[in-house]
Amino acid sequence: MPSLLQPARGTQPELLRQLRALIEAESPSNHIPELTACADLFAEQARALLPAIKIRRTPTPHGPILQLELKLPSSVSRKSQPKQLQILAIGHIDTVWPPGTLRTMPFRITRTRAHGPGILDMKAGLLQFLHAATILRELDQPAASPRSITLFVVPDEEIGSPSSRPLTESLARRSSLALVLEPGTGLEGRLKTARKGIADYTVDIRGRAAHAGVDFSAGASAILEAARQTERIAAFTRLDRGLTVNPGLITGGTATNTVAAHAQLRCDVRIARLRDFPALDRRFRTLRPVDPRCKISVTGGLNRPPMERTPAIAKLFAHAAQLAHQHLGLQLEESSTGGGSDGNFTAALGLPTLDGLGAIGEGAHAANESILLAPIAERIALLAILLQNL
Ligand SMILES: [Zn+2]
C-alpha cells in the first residue's frame, strides 16, 4: 500500500486555511449564536471536502449537534462479510474561551506552530479527521471490511455534555468502536487509554447566628464546622487508588462580628475505578456534624464515569499501534489522564474507545494554546489508516 503520508502532506495548506476560519469563528460553551455559526462553518467545510457526506443537525439548549455520516468502500462483498463495522468518531466544537479572546490570542502561524483559542482542544482534531476521510476517498482504496463512519460533534463537552450525553450514549450502543479526537498527551501525542471519572459534591452547612461580642456561646459556627468537615473530606483521597478529593471552593459567613450561620464547601473528585465510587459516595452522604447544633446537607454525584483500561481497550490500542508501525513506521504510545472527555461515556458502556487521536501541541485551556505543525500530516495519515484497517 502506498503511504498515506504524501497525500496527507499535500492537504495540509488547505487544512490550515480552514483552521484559521474555524478558530476565528469563536465558539464558547453556552453561547448559542456563536456555537451555531461555528457548527455551520464546520458543516460547510465538511461538504466542500466530502460532497457525498450526509449531515444531520440537531438543535439542543446548549447549541447544535452535528452528525456526519460517510461510508467507506470495501474490497469484500456484503454477502461474504455481512457484519458492517460502525466507527464512531467523537469531537466537540465548543471551547473554554469567552467571546473576544481573539483580540488577545489571535490565530497565527509561527515557524513550528499554529496558535489560537480552541486550536488544540480541539478544532484542529476535527479538521484532521475530515482530511483523513478525504484522502481515503480520493485514493479510493477499499477498506478491509464494510464500514460506516459517524463523526459526532457536540457543542457542550467543556461544560460536562449535559445536552449531548444521551445522544452520544445511544450512538455508542450502536457502534463497534469509538475514536475520540481530543488532543494527544504531551508533545509526543500519546494516545489516551484511560481517563479518570469526575464527580462533584456541594456540602451545605447550617449553623446558628449570634453576635460575636454579646452572645458568642449561643452561636454555632458553620465556618468552624466547614473547616472540620474539610479535614474529613480531604482524607477521602486515596492516591494509591487514583482517587482524589479536592475541596476547591469554600464560602460562608456574613460579617466578622457574627457567628456564621451558613457555609458551603464544593469539591471536585477524580476517580480511576468505578467500583470505588459507591463507598466514596456513601462517605459524602453520611457526613455528620461535629457540633450537633449544625446541619449538613450534601448534593452532587458522578458526572463522568471513569474510562478504565479494559482488555478490549488494551486490545484496540495494540491493534492501532501495530497498524501505525506497519503502515507509517510510527511508534504509538499510550497514556492515562485525570481529565475527562466524552470518551468516558462510550468506554463506560463497554465500547472499545481510543482517545487522544487529535492534534499534538500544548496549552489546552491556557494562554499558550498551540499545535505543532510538523505532526499534522502524520496524524491525518494515522486516522486514515485506522479508519480503513481497524
Ligand atoms: Zn476537549
Side-chain angles (χ1 to χ4, degrees):
M1 167 199 272
S3 170
L4 287 166
L5 261 177
Q6 213 177 323
R9 283 200 191 98
T11 194
Q12 189 166 324
E14 172 66 7
L15 182 144
L16 289 175
R17 270 193 297 278
Q18 292 173 322
L19 188 54
R20 169 187 286 272
L22 207 57
I23 296 301
E24 291 180 348
E26 290 184 297
S27 52
S29 314
N30 285 320
H31 288 70
I32 311 305
E34 287 89 343
L35 285 163
T36 305
C38 189
D40 288 348
L41 172 64
F42 183 69
E44 230 173 81
Q45 293 176 331
R47 271 193 212 100
L49 291 167
L50 298 152
I53 202 162
K54 282 203 193 88
I55 303 181
R56 190 190 301 172
R57 198 168 167 285
T58 312
T60 81
H62 293 96
I65 289 175
L66 294 179
Q67 196 172 328
L68 298 85
E69 309 273 357
L70 56 143
K71 296 219 182 302
L72 279 191
S74 154
S75 53
V76 188
S77 78
R78 277 276 166 99
K79 262 182 206 152
S80 62
Q81 194 162 2
K83 193 177 179 307
Q84 173 155 303
L85 201 69
Q86 298 280 346
I87 299 179
L88 175 61
I90 298 177
H92 62 88
I93 202 100
D94 61 324
T95 77
V96 295
W97 298 102
T101 298
L102 279 172
R103 281 197 294 275
T104 51
M105 254 176 85
F107 177 86
R108 66 199 166 90
I109 293 181
T110 53
R111 208 168 47 81
T112 55
R113 294 182 185 221
H115 305 251
I119 196 166
L120 176 66
D121 188 10
M122 53 162 283
K123 291 178 175 179
L126 291 174
L127 283 171
Q128 285 177 182
F129 180 89
L130 288 186
H131 283 258
T134 306
I135 60 172
L136 281 181
R137 270 271 156 222
E138 280 168 5
L139 287 184
D140 204 22
Q141 283 174 359
S145 63
R147 50 199 57 211
S148 74
I149 300 165
T150 299
L151 172 60
F152 195 63
V153 184
V154 308
D156 58 353
E157 194 273 346
E158 295 289 4
I159 51 169
S161 309
S163 281
S164 60
R165 178 178 182 171
L167 280 162
T168 300
E169 291 179 333
S170 83
L171 273 177
R173 287 193 184 93
R174 285 182 272 136
S175 299
S176 323
L177 58 98
L179 304 176
V180 185
L181 307 172
E182 293 279 355
T185 301
L187 293 179
E188 319 78 42
R190 280 168 282 149
L191 303 196
K192 291 166 178 163
T193 50
R195 284 183 181 271
K196 285 187 181 176
I198 306 172
D200 51 62
Y201 287 94
T202 299
V203 180
D204 256 295
I205 297 163
R206 292 268 157 208
R208 195 179 292 165
H211 192 297
V214 179
D215 208 12
F216 181 79
S217 297
S221 171
I223 288 183
L224 182 58
E225 187 64 38
R228 290 167 167 159
Q229 298 298 331
T230 304
E231 284 272 24
R232 280 190 181 166
I233 291 167
F236 296 169
T237 290
R238 287 282 308 275
L239 288 177
D240 58 324
R241 298 192 63 79
L243 169 62
T244 58
V245 181
N246 180 48
L249 272 175
I250 185 162
T251 54
T254 50
T256 55
N257 61 0
T258 302
V259 177
H262 179 242
Q264 191 184 66
L265 248 178
R266 291 175 59 192
C267 306
D268 171 284
V269 175
R270 306 283 160 146
I271 188 161
R273 300 181 178 93
L274 190 59
R275 67 171 183 277
D276 287 344
F277 180 70
L280 175 84
D281 190 60
R282 209 174 314 117
R283 296 185 84 174
F284 266 103
R285 308 235 175 247
T286 53
L287 284 171
R288 294 291 170 256
V290 175
D291 182 338
R293 297 172 299 165
C294 290
K295 283 198 164 54
I296 296 178
S297 63
V298 175
T299 52
L302 197 62
N303 172 19
R304 291 182 195 275
M307 166 177 165
E308 299 184 47
R309 190 181 181 279
T310 58
I313 287 179
K315 195 172 149 209
L316 180 61
F317 173 77
H319 190 185
Q322 179 253 318
L323 289 168
H325 183 70
Q326 176 190 343
H327 294 277
L328 300 166
L330 277 180
Q331 214 69 49
L332 279 192
E333 287 175 56
E334 62 182 314
S335 66
S336 64
T337 170
S341 84
D342 286 340
N344 289 58
F345 299 139
T346 60
L349 289 171
L351 185 68
T353 299
L354 213 46
D355 202 336
L357 282 162
I360 300 178
E362 62 185 337
H365 301 202
N368 63 331
E369 181 166 2
S370 57
I371 62 165
L372 297 178
L373 299 175
I376 290 178
E378 214 170 79
R379 296 298 258 197
I380 294 173
L382 172 64
L383 275 173
I385 294 289
L386 298 183
L387 291 176
Q388 199 175 31
N389 297 285
L390 274 177

